[in-house]
Amino acid sequence: MTIYTVPTHRNITFNEYKGIFEKYKNNNDTREITFQNELVKPFIRGVRNDLDVEGCDTKGPTQIHDYLQYCGTYTINGNEKSVTPDLVITKDWNWLNRDFSLDYRAVVEVKSPFLKDRIYSKEYEDYSEEFKVKLKRHLSATINNKVILTDALKWEFYKRSGGSNELIPIRTIELYDLIDGIGHWKWCSVDSFNSLKNYLKKFLGS
């Protein structure tokens, strides 16, 4: 089998991070998928270019892929369905995860800071019950036990421990200072950004 070399993902600086954020804000493209694919995913890849960060928010019926290794479930019309996060982070990604043992590091739930599910403007206790249930489902996966929640302004880190999936983040890092409510903030110093990068490296394991 031919071995191919995959280019290393480049580390994103804080100015570049803010630039990407502001670009899509100014272009009025504030969809969740935009922040997921254009900012959050390349940022994580740059911080940990030894890991794979893969989209898993679109799912379909399959006999060769086990979503429940990194997803929880919900019941609809008496049938149990998997509830997928936006991104899954593994050491070596392989879609055939029933045949290959994957080293899951975390899943990521991404929100837009400009839509109703934004998290920067509220405390975790104030998230909607529907959203809390979704996060608990992610934490109930059969193998993965870590969840990252972000809207690009705020990053929260969750970990299942001792069989409990109580929704209390083990770390919260904010890249902004809130001025006077929703939509009014200023960026923090680069120290917060560096703290995020350092903690993200640690959270995703060696």
Side-chain angles (χ1 to χ4, degrees), residues 48-107:
R48 287 297 303 267
N49 58 41
D50 59 320
L51 300 178
D52 293 324
V53 184
E54 304 297 334
C56 57
D57 50 337
T58 301
K59 63 179 183 293
T62 177
Q63 298 299 316
I64 60 176
H65 183 78
D66 181 13
Y67 289 103
L68 300 188
Q69 291 183 17
Y70 56 91
C71 298
T73 63
Y74 66 99
T75 303
I76 182 170
N77 298 327
N79 297 316
E80 194 172 57
K81 305 286 187 180
S82 57
V83 53
T84 52
D86 297 309
L87 302 169
V88 59
I89 305 172
T90 66
K91 178 59 178 175
D92 291 299
W93 174 248
N94 196 307
W95 181 250
L96 304 182
N97 65 352
R98 294 184 186 275
D99 298 325
F100 295 87
S101 179
L102 268 64
D103 180 7
Y104 294 101
R105 301 301 179 88
V107 297

Side-chain angles (χ1 to χ4, degrees), residues 168-179:
I168 300 176
I170 61 175
R171 182 73 184 270
T172 298
I173 298 176
E174 298 171 343
L175 301 180
Y176 66 97
D177 289 318
L178 198 61
I179 298 174

Side-chain angles (χ1 to χ4, degrees), residues 4-206:
Y4 296 97
T5 300
V6 178
T8 299
H9 298 289
R10 188 175 61 83
N11 205 353
I12 293 176
T13 68
F14 193 27
N15 281 338
E16 290 170 335
Y17 187 99
K18 292 185 290 185
I20 296 169
F21 185 102
E22 296 293 339
K23 171 187 176 179
Y24 288 102
K25 173 187 173 184
N26 294 336
N27 288 347
N28 300 303
D29 185 359
T30 57
R31 296 171 297 155
E32 178 181 301
I33 193 69
T34 300
F35 288 96
Q36 173 185 317
N37 291 340
E38 303 300 328
L39 184 54
V40 173
K41 186 174 181 178
F43 169 68
I44 296 175
R45 280 179 162 174
V47 171
R48 287 297 303 267
N49 58 41
D50 59 320
L51 300 178
D52 293 324
V53 184
E54 304 297 334
C56 57
D57 50 337
T58 301
K59 63 179 183 293
T62 177
Q63 298 299 316
I64 60 176
H65 183 78
D66 181 13
Y67 289 103
L68 300 188
Q69 291 183 17
Y70 56 91
C71 298
T73 63
Y74 66 99
T75 303
I76 182 170
N77 298 327
N79 297 316
E80 194 172 57
K81 305 286 187 180
S82 57
V83 53
T84 52
D86 297 309
L87 302 169
V88 59
I89 305 172
T90 66
K91 178 59 178 175
D92 291 299
W93 174 248
N94 196 307
W95 181 250
L96 304 182
N97 65 352
R98 294 184 186 275
D99 298 325
F100 295 87
S101 179
L102 268 64
D103 180 7
Y104 294 101
R105 301 301 179 88
V107 297
V108 188
E109 187 69 26
V110 182
K111 299 300 175 188
S112 168
F114 298 97
L115 300 179
K116 67 177 183 178
D117 286 333
R118 62 189 172 270
I119 64 172
Y120 80 86
S121 60
K122 62 193 79 168
E123 299 298 324
Y124 70 89
E125 299 96 333
D126 299 323
Y127 297 158
S128 70
E129 287 305 314
E130 179 183 7
F131 186 50
K132 289 178 181 178
V133 167
K134 186 175 184 180
L135 287 178
K136 287 182 178 180
R137 286 170 177 157
H138 293 335
L139 286 171
S140 69
T142 60
I143 299 180
N144 175 66
N145 66 352
K146 293 180 181 179
V147 174
I148 300 170
L149 171 64
T150 184
D151 61 3
L153 289 173
K154 181 164 78 171
W155 290 70
E156 288 184 342
F157 298 85
Y158 295 83
K159 183 177 181 180
R160 184 178 68 232
S161 60
S164 171
N165 60 354
E166 188 175 5
L167 278 183
I168 300 176
I170 61 175
R171 182 73 184 270
T172 298
I173 298 176
E174 298 171 343
L175 301 180
Y176 66 97
D177 289 318
L178 198 61
I179 298 174
D180 60 356
I182 296 173
H184 299 90
W185 69 79
K186 62 180 180 180
W187 291 100
C188 287
S189 71
V190 71
D191 292 340
S192 295
F193 185 71
N194 289 336
S195 294
L196 172 60
K197 287 167 53 173
N198 291 333
Y199 187 77
L200 186 58
K201 290 178 184 178
K202 177 181 176 182
F203 184 75
L204 296 177
S206 59

